Structures are given as structure tokens and as C-alpha cells.
Amino acid sequence: MTEAMSAEYDLPKAYEPGKVERKWYKFWLEKGYFTPRIDPEKKPFVIIMPPPNVTGELHIGHALTATLEDIMIRWHRMKGDPTLWLPGIDHASIAAQVVMEQLLAKEGLDRHQIGRDKFLERMWDWANKCRQTISEQHQRLGTSCDWTRERFTLDEGPSRAVRTAFVRLYQKGLIYRGERIINWCPRCGTALSDLEVDHKDIQGHLYYIRYPLEGDRGFVTVATTRPETMLGDTAVAVNPDDRRYKAKAGKKVTLPLVNRIIPIITDEAVDPSFGTGAVKITPGHDPVDFEIAQRQGLPLLNILNPDATMNENTGAYCGLDRFACREAVLSDLEKDGLLEKIEPYGYSVGHCQRCQTVIEPIASQQWFINMPPLAKPAIDAVTSGRITTIPERFNEVYHNWIENIRDWCISRQLWWGHRIPVWYCRDCGELTVTVDDAKSCSHCRSTNIEQDPDVLDTWFSSALWPHSTLGWPDDTEDLRYFYPTAVMETGYDILFFWVARMVMMGLEDTGDIPFHTIYLHGLIRDEKGEKMSKVKGNVLNPIDTLEKYGTDALRFALSTGTAPGNDIKLNAARLESGRNFANKIWNAARFIIRSIEPHGTETQIQRDRLPVEDRWILSRLNYTISSVTSLMEACQFGEAQRQIYDFIWGEFCDWYIEIAKIRLRTGEKETPSPIPVLVHVLETSLRLLHPYMPFVTEELWQNLKSRLPSDWTEAESIMVATYPAAEKSAIDPQAEKVMESLIDIIHAIRNARAQYRVASNRWIEAQIYAGELTPVLTPHTEAIETLARAKPVTFQDKEEDGSPSKDTLVLVLKELEVAIPMASMVDLEAERKRWQKEIEQSQAEVSRLEARLADKQFLTKAPAAVVDKERNKLVERKDKLVRLKQQLGRLD
Ligand SMILES: [Zn+2]
Ligand SMILES: [Zn+2]
């Protein structure tokens, strides 16, 4: 018997999240609620969780992902859909390897010293520890994902999917190996895709360098931001239409410092407005120059070692670091009188996204995917509406990128990752490309073969994630039932890295889209709207936060005001508001639960004889359910949460429960007990709120269940109870109208008390002129008295009694009037004296101003502006005097 089932199960005075969260998570896990039952009759709801990187711990962005997805998942599960939320972790090839290299560096080691096998052994040890931490942290957040299906990108299944996809693309000719200009990170020692390069604007210089004409006087001047690359020049190019260079085109120049003779060629790609109109061509280190060289048959010269020192092709500069070489080249050019001028110049420089080292464009043999053929179906899937993006504005961003897509460099000179399934034959030189490890060359049967040392870009395996996690390439039951998945929920910052690539690879491998809906959430910012970063020190750690405020409070804060695509601000006030809400529900539930025993456990609502407040709260509850359901369907989780909050805190706790307390106290025989309605509304509200705040709702629901007859519900947990459905018949406009008036009256009297600063222990009188509403409001006299601290409250007929006397404050409301005798709010004699004193002071000032404005000397000597000012003052003071006299009159 669990604690929940025990009859001794009592509710402490305050909610203590730390005491209940682990208990309930364990309970859910043991009951197997997170694992869906495959039911061919029903359409499943499926989310594949974006796999966090194996590097370290979850950050607050992961907590947002987990919260939003868990809201959707719990909601669908309660609606009865077979619901799968598949968790996973990404090996994060480059990011993880950077972390391990830093750990090794602390021991004075580098990966080459310990070798590939030993390095991978250490990576696995470390990664396994991190994976455990990440899973545990997800559990602390209350995520109801199916841990029996958890996947790691390097697991056997996903790894085989990676190899299969690679081999199939290779066989179709869509994967090829070739020499292209790629982004090289000298620190990481690997190629990077265009998406992995951060471009930063810097203020640098443009250097004008003279290249002497061969066998002639004069020279051609070229401009460059990277003067050291001149060592790799194989030509100078000008635009064929550039008249300035008509005579020089076709001649040759001597490349300074290395004295290599290179031609002056013409090419349409040269922009005559840049620099001098003549540009240096460095095919080994510039993508545009590379293309020109390919067209013109120019040689290609690499001048850099992998660590960005200068190589043997640079003569005297060999061995120098690239930036030291820049200084040396400039100084030598200057000595030779070949440095014409230096201009300040702003341009953009690529940096490695992982280590922030300046990228070098280098011509290199790498593996690429030919993307345009894969992009076409992915464009159609979105254009045709088969895939919906929320918010819709990201469709344009998606199209802009994918329609201009370039080939994707997928090989990385790293060790941690999926090794490329290609074997090179040392005998015949042919390639063997297979899913299973090759034992011999598929062309000549030689066993003298060697596997490509490189691994694949991490995003290659991520692109397969929705189908590889479900068993592809095998025809599994999971793949047949759960694919295509329902929603891909992730940050808008990885739309290209991940989402677009999943669409392309999903369609390519399975012939079907990977998901129907793309939900893009925003970034989390601090209260000043700044991005959270370790450098700024404004990072909120999700685990510290949930330990301080409770997991439900953190989830509440993360879902407050959230709207697709919009960044959210997270601060202490929001977290406190989440905690306060949990406490408010706790206190309300505790009151109701403790009221059940003395008032009987009858839970049947007697619909035919309900008082108006009961009909009203049931009407509001059903209105809220209906509205929240529409909002959830539209993925407006922030607004749905606000409406649940407003209903529970405002209508239920502040109004209904307060009115019900009076009924419980007086226990009138003719009206039914409010207990059945209190229990019903509480229980339904808990289910409505459960997807947002799973722990406090389960704790209270179980406690409530333990107090009620055993046939009250079949569900053994709120998370598998049915999500509330609105009952149209409960909507009661008549009851809403009466209760609105009642609430208006109480609000008005409370405001009057505040305005006249009536002491809280003082009872004031009130007369209500309610006309036609009088008969329906009269039964609530006691509620008005208690909640507004007004006694006696009398209902009066305006026609007979005439208008209220003038020593009365009259509050005009929508359909009625409330009259409060001033004497009941304030001490009339003291008030009168106070007003009289003010009137006297005001009168004196008016007299002084009048006298001054009658003084001819003042009028003639004072500047016109001053006289005007005094006149205005007199008008204002006279006006004030009239109002003060009116106020005094009200007290008579
Ligand atoms: Zn790097
Ligand atoms: Zn061979």
C-alpha cells in the first residue's frame, strides 16, 4: 500500500514540493504510465524529444523544452490518445570532443598522445556519466517521457540508421567526395559546415600591395584584408570590362617576397568597385578564387598547416603562425616599398561556433551531400501545408534558407562520432562503401583496406532522429505506428541546423514527413531582456531553481506568457508567483478536504436545487474548460495557463470558496451543502491544471481520493484520469448575471472602504437599489455583509424610498446602485471640522489673490506673464473652494 492509499494520509499546513516530487515521479514510473499502449484503432500523439548534447548538464532552455513538451504530452495522454514522448541524448561530436580535449589538457595531454582507442574509451566513460545526470535532471523536471525507449545517437540502432542513410545517398550519387573550400577550425583541427561558423563584424584594415609587372616598369596594385595569403596567389584578376586594365590584362606580374611569376587574367566574377579593381587570386584559401581557378585552370596552392602555421610552400615564412606571418609579410613589403597604403576597413570574420577560433577557408578533400535534390520535396512539404509551422512567420525564413541551400560538408576530422563507412583499398585504390564493417575490398577482394579516419557531422545523425529512434531502417511496429510523429517542438535558433534537415532526410529515407507540426519556442532572457550567458553571470540553473521554488513553480514560470516564437523573460517575481499559486491551491484544497469529514462525503451534485453561486461556478468552470481546450489545440499554452490561473485563483478561491464558507458555517437546511460542488470544481481544476503543475495536482488529487468513497473514480492517478471536457448544459447566463452583480456590489463597497480609509474592523452600512435583481440578490445578503464587511445591508426599492439623502455616498454600478451613509464610514463631526478648516484656508488664499489682482501698482509694474499666472491661480482656487463646499455639504 502506497502512502497515497493510506487512510492516515494528512495534508501538512504548507505545500512542501521537496517531499512529494520524487515520491510521485517514482509512482508514475513504476506504474508504467509513460509507456504507451499501441492501439491500432487510435491515432497516437508523438513527440521525439530534441536530444540534449551529452556535454554536461541541462540548462534553462532545456527546462523550457521539457515543460512545453510535457504539457502537450500530459494533455494528450489524459485525452486518451496513445501518447509517446521519446527521450534521447546527442553525442554532440565536436562539442563533446572540445570538452574532453580541455580535460586532457589539464593533465598535460592531447588526444594524439593517447591515441584514438584510448581517447574513445575515456569519451565513453565520461559520456555515460553525463547521460545519467541529464536523465536524472529530466526526471526532476517531471517529464513524463518513455524511458524504456530512450536513445543515444551512438547506440547500435541509430548508428546503423546513419550508415544505411549514408550508403543509400552514396549509391544514389548524392554523397560525394571532393576538393572544395571548407571552413577549417585550426584549434579543433576539423572542417565545419557553413552553419557551424559564427560571423562577427570586426574593424580591420585593407592593405594595398604592389605586384611588379614582369619585364616591365610599373605594377598592379591589389587590395586584401589577409595579406599573408598572397603567398598562395596563383594569379591576379580584373574584370574584362574594366578599361583601366585593358593594357595590362594578359601580362604577368612577379609575386613579391616569393618571386613567383603569375598571370593577370580576366574574369566576370571580379567586382571592379572593390579596392583597385585588380584582385589577387588565392584558390587554396578563398571560395570565390577557388571557383575562378576551376574555371580558368589555375593551379591551387595550400600554404597552411592544419594548425594554421605556414607550410613549406611559403619559403622563409614556413613555421610561422598565420598572424605572425601577417606581420612579417607587411614588414617585408614595406621594406621593399611595395606596401602602397593601409585603410581602415570593416568586414566579417568567421569564428568556430564551438571554440571561437578564427576560421580559415581551406581547399580540402571532404565528403559532401548534394543538397538541392533533397531540398525540393522539403520545400513542397511546407508549401503544400502537410507540415505546419507555428508561428507561421518562420515559413518564410525556412524557405529563404532551403531554396538557396548549398552542398553540406559532412566529414569532420574528429574521433568522437559516427565513423564514415568508407574503406580505401591500398591495392586497387577503389572505395568500399557498406553498412556493415568491410572485411575486404568489394572490387579486388584485397584485405589490405583502411577505413576513412573521419567521423560524420553530428547533425547528420540528428537529421535522422525521428525515424532512426523508431527503428528505421527496419520495418518495426514502432515505426509503422508512431511515424510520422505529431509535433517537433524546439527553439527557433535551430530551424536550419536541425528541423529543415530532419524534413529533408525523413522524406528521403522513409518517403514521408517526419512530423506534422513544427512548434518553435523563443529564447529565455533575464528580466532586463538580455540573453542568459555564463559570461554575463545571469544564468538560472534549472535544478537550483526547482530546489528553491519547487518544480511546479519553475514549470509555471516557464509557461507564463509563453507564445510560439516569442522570447520570454524569466525572473524571481515569476518564480515566486508560481510558488504562490501552488500554495493558493494547496490552501484551498486543504480547506475543502478538511471540510468533507464533518459535512459528509456525499459527492452527488443535486443539479435541480442548486443555489445561484453553485450554478455560477459550474458555469464558469465549463466556460474555462472550453476556452482552455481551444487554446491548447492552437498551441497557445501561455494563454491557456493564464485562464486556468484566473479561474482557480479568482473565481474559485476568492469568490466561490469564500461564499461557500458562509454556507458551511450557517448550515441552512433548505439549501444543499456546497461540499459536492467544492469537491467537483476542485477535482476538475486539478485535472485542468495537471499538465502544467503535475506534482501539486497529483498530491492533492490523491489526498482527495483517499477521503471519498472508493467508487468515486476508477483512475489510480490524476495523470491517467480523463482531461476535463466542457458540458455545454452547465453554462448558465442567468447565474452569471446575478453573480456578476453580487461581485460588483462587493467590489464597490470594498473600494469605498479603501477610498475613505475605513479601518478594517469597522462595519459600514449599505443600501442596495437593485430593481428587478432584488429578489435574486436578497438571499446573498449575508455573503455581501461578510465579504464587504458591511452591516446591515438592506435592499430597497428606489421608487418608494425616494433618492438617497445627501449625507450618503452613492455608487452607480452597471444595473444597480449602492448607497453608503457617510456616517457609517467616517466620524462626521471630525470630518466636518477637517473640511471646514480646508475651506477657511482656501477662502483666505482666494481673498489674498483677489486683493493682489485689484492692486493697480501690481498690475502696472508686474510683467504680463506674472499677472496671467496669478489670474489662473485665482480661477483654480475658486474652483477648489466650490468643490470643498460640496464635500462639506454631503456631510450635513
Ligand atoms: Zn574550433
Ligand atoms: Zn581493391
Side-chain angles (χ1 to χ4, degrees), residues 185 187-188 352 354-357:
C185 174
R187 208 241 34 107
C188 296
C352 171
R354 290 295 159 196
C355 74
Q356 297 306 317
T357 302

Side-chain angles (χ1 to χ4, degrees), residues 213-251:
L213 285 163
E214 187 206 17
D216 202 346
R217 290 158 62 98
F219 41 78
V220 175
T221 302
V222 297
T224 180
T225 56
R226 297 183 297 158
E228 69 283 7
T229 62
M230 66 166 287
L231 302 170
D233 285 1
T234 57
V236 167
V238 295
N239 191 290
D241 298 330
D242 195 336
R243 289 206 192 140
R244 295 171 292 180
Y245 294 103
K246 273 272 181 291
K248 288 173 182 165
K251 291 189 171 169

Side-chain angles (χ1 to χ4, degrees), residues 45 74 97 147 163 212 328 362 508 575 645 674 722-723 736 791 855:
F45 179 79
R74 284 179 185 269
Q97 185 159 327
W147 295 107
R163 282 195 172 187
I362 289 182
E508 169 65 20
L575 290 157
Y645 173 89
T722 312
Y723 200 73
E736 296 216 7
K791 206 175 219 171
D855 180 357

